Amino acid sequence: MNIVVLVKQVPDSGAERTLSRTDHTLDRAGAELVLDEINERAAEEALRLKETADAHITVVSMGPDSALDAIRKVLAMGADRGIHICDDRLHGADLLTTAKVLAAAVRTVADVDLVLAGDAATDGGASAVPAVVADLLALPQVTHVRQLDVDAGRVRALRETENGQTTLDAPLPALVSVTEKINEPRYPSFKGIMAAKKKPVDTVGLDDLLPDADGFLVSRTRVVEAVPRPPRAAGTRIADDGSAGRQLAAYLIAQKLV
Amino acid sequence: MPEVLVLVDHDGEHVNKSTYELLAVARRLGDPGAVVVGTPGTATRLMESLARYGATSVHAAESKDAAEFLVTPAVDALELAVRDTSPAAVLVSATTDGREVAARLAARLGAGLLIDAVDLDSSGVVTQIVFGGSYTVRSQVTHGIPVITVRPGAFEPEEHPGEAVERTITLPVVDPATSARVTDRRTAPAGDRPGLTEATVVVSGGRGVGGADGFELVEQLADALGGAVGASRAAVDAGYYPHRFQVGQTGKTVSPQLYIALGISGAIQHLAGMQTSKTIVAVNKDPEAPILDLADYGVVGDLFAVAPQLTREVAARRAVG
Ligand SMILES: Cc1cc2nc3c(=O)[nH]c(=O)nc-3n(C[C@H](O)[C@H](O)[C@H](O)COP(=O)(O)OP(=O)(O)OC[C@H]3O[C@@H](n4cnc5c(N)ncnc54)[C@H](O)[C@@H]3O)c2cc1C
């Protein structure tokens, strides 16, 4: 079975994020970059499949030079090879361009059975890149999955959204995106980290992936204005002396919130 | 006036409130055309409600498959409706399904996608709040027909009664090799509480609530206030409350009039989902908890004492009228 895992490097979500003043894209310079946590779970799911079936795992990431660290981490967890899509022209790529480039990279891998991704990136966005990749590759979209079962050429999955849970069924090849609740990712072992250094990683650019991309568009939208919102300040604070619930009720009533 | 297509959210019998919100905002750009994707007969059932809230046309995309496959039928329907009507824009609610439908549609149209609009002006400039409330951004689509997802609750539904003409979209047969089939659906019990993203009051519990039992206290306060219940990720991961109620960066973003955090420390990833709330109240026994730094009203105390007392006071107030 050939599995492709799509991963992304993101600024650590515990840190403050800022927009670049010049082009309103996410300022990566100041932020500590990490492999997006949900992507780790997608990689973990691929590795679990590899434990039960003969599988070859390719990890794909689009991003600047530093994205190689994210790829190496998944290789250290146990993936077999990497594809690093690195091209300055992709800076500020919108969802569609990102999905097109990722889909093109998946196409370079022969006989793919399963594409795995995280269902959301913690640096914001529509959580819809996987759905668009599925559309572009004409694969069934099996997204927001908290439980996955791949067997006998089919995927059965439990999708969880605000509307509740649905059970999905699709033939392979398919695209699956996983939620943060699907598993606990393993830590790379020391042996894994050493082995990862020798695993092959191809670096590819736009010309390799979309050679006849006439009129290539980085983005189909434009930021007109970006204004930082003022931070919130603390208001009233009380320590409970046995009447805090009553005082709080009085506050809510005064604010016409009750 | 050009048409503005709106994807209708419905349960087969009723139109969701978020669709009425879309119809209201669609009128800023043109004549709202409602696209109904469902099993045969659905559009006829929904016609009257849609017309009452301003739809001037209803595009019926109906087939037996429509409810059996995930996302693809809605994308197909919108794509066909766009080719038929050359609309000024397409609006979809920013739900999980809605975002996926909108993104796939934009991809097929080669068009710009703007997500999570909280405002939209007549020139098509969209206002978004990004990075968990740290920036207000105004953006515009520069290529193709704008596809816009709109945050539920950001607009008020408006009745605007009129006649709607019905049109038919012939859906292609779904290819089961390229679409996932929905084999079972366990719809979240709607219960008596408002939806998390639409509620004007949200009461959330964190790890401090201590267990699934403790969440009864959170529910009681939410019910007294007519609000929805939310939870921090720590509370969800500990199994106190279901995942779909998670508020925060990887959960739901809420922006109610009143947000009450019980036993939540205020990690940046939690704040990302609630800090645009109008009024924030926090109850935490730790005076150093970061949530207290942004609460409009902070109580340092034990939630097991404060919350029930507040619930009683609110219920008493409500009883008086
Ligand atoms: C990539 C990523 C994404 C994340 N996404 C989310 C997300 O979407 N949503 C989210 O919430 N978190 C998210 N987190 C997790 C986040 O970092 C915090 O771990 C989480 O929000 C903590 O939840 P908590 O406040 O309930 O728990 P804690 O931090 O453990 O806080 C519990 C609080 O309860 C108080 N307390 C305890 N007992 C009582 C009592 N009896 N009365 C009053 N107060 C009491 C304590 O003083 C403490 O402040 C994410 C983290 C990462 C890394």
Side-chain angles (χ1 to χ4, degrees), chain B residues 154-201:
Chain B
F155 298 93
E156 281 297 316
E158 285 163 30
E159 291 205 22
H160 192 80
E163 288 290 307
V165 290
E166 185 165 352
R167 301 218 181 82
T168 310
I169 297 170
T170 312
L171 280 177
V173 178
V174 177
D175 174 0
T178 63
S179 286
R181 190 185 286 277
V182 178
T183 51
D184 189 24
R185 227 180 265 277
R186 264 168 290 165
T187 311
D192 298 332
R193 295 194 189 103
L196 186 53
T197 52
E198 291 157 25
T200 51
V201 177

Side-chain angles (χ1 to χ4, degrees), chain A residues 12-20 24-27 37-38 41 94-96 100 119-144 146 154 157-173 177 179-181 184 217 219-230 232-253 255 257-258, chain B residues 16 70-72 75 94-97 99-101 103-116 125 129-143 176-188 201 225 233 236-237 242-244 246 249-252 257-258 260 268-269 272 274-283 286-289 292-302 305-307 309-310 313-314 317-318:
Chain A
D12 186 349
S13 67
E16 192 183 337
R17 287 159 294 172
T18 53
L19 290 177
S20 137
H24 304 306
T25 58
L26 185 62
D27 196 349
E37 192 210 69
I38 306 178
R41 299 175 197 264
D94 69 1
L95 187 150
L96 173 52
K100 270 190 175 166
D119 76 334
T122 50
D123 58 349
S127 306
V129 167
V132 177
V133 171
D135 202 277
L136 295 169
L137 295 173
L139 296 178
Q141 171 199 328
V142 185
T143 47
H144 303 286
R146 107 168 262 167
R154 297 198 81 80
L158 189 63
R159 169 183 171 92
E160 190 172 53
T161 70
E162 64 270 37
N163 292 328
Q165 298 184 332
T166 45
T167 314
L168 301 178
D169 175 272
L172 294 177
S177 82
T179 73
E180 64 177 15
K181 308 296 182 215
E184 276 309 318
L217 287 172
S219 177
R220 294 153 193 82
T221 61
R222 186 173 74 89
V223 173
V224 182
E225 185 186 42
V227 186
R229 291 166 67 87
R232 294 186 78 112
T236 312
R237 181 193 288 213
I238 59 165
D240 186 19
D241 60 0
S243 69
R246 281 193 292 277
Q247 293 184 56
L248 185 45
Y251 167 80
L252 296 178
I253 291 163
Q255 299 290 314
L257 289 164
V258 177
Chain B
N16 290 356
L70 183 70
V71 170
T72 345
V75 182
T95 58
T96 302
D97 290 24
R99 291 191 180 109
E100 296 188 324
V101 170
R104 289 181 69 159
L105 175 70
R108 290 191 191 176
L109 302 173
L113 170 73
L114 290 171
I115 59 162
D116 282 4
V125 173
I129 297 173
V130 304
F131 295 147
S134 38
Y135 282 86
T136 302
V137 170
R138 295 183 352 111
S139 317
Q140 208 168 24
V141 167
T142 49
H143 289 83
T178 63
S179 286
R181 190 185 286 277
V182 178
T183 51
D184 189 24
R185 227 180 265 277
R186 264 168 290 165
T187 311
V201 177
L225 290 162
R233 181 162 107 171
V236 170
D237 287 351
H243 180 200
R244 63 177 186 279
Q246 182 174 318
Q249 189 167 289
T250 49
K252 295 284 160 304
Q257 293 296 310
L258 173 61
I260 302 184
I268 196 164
Q269 295 94 346
M274 47 63 77
Q275 65 181 339
T276 60
S277 304
K278 193 86 186 304
T279 298
I280 297 174
V281 169
V283 181
D286 174 9
E288 304 290 321
L292 293 170
D293 294 337
L294 77 162
D296 299 288
Y297 199 97
V299 177
V300 179
D302 184 350
V306 179
Q309 191 177 65
L310 175 58
E313 291 288 315
V314 170
R317 166 84 185 179
R318 288 251 156 135

Side-chain angles (χ1 to χ4, degrees), chain B residues 6 19-28 32 53 155-158:
Chain B
V6 164
T19 299
Y20 297 140
E21 297 165 10
L22 295 185
L23 290 170
V25 61
R27 286 215 306 280
R28 298 181 185 176
Y53 282 88
F155 298 93
E156 281 297 316
E158 285 163 30

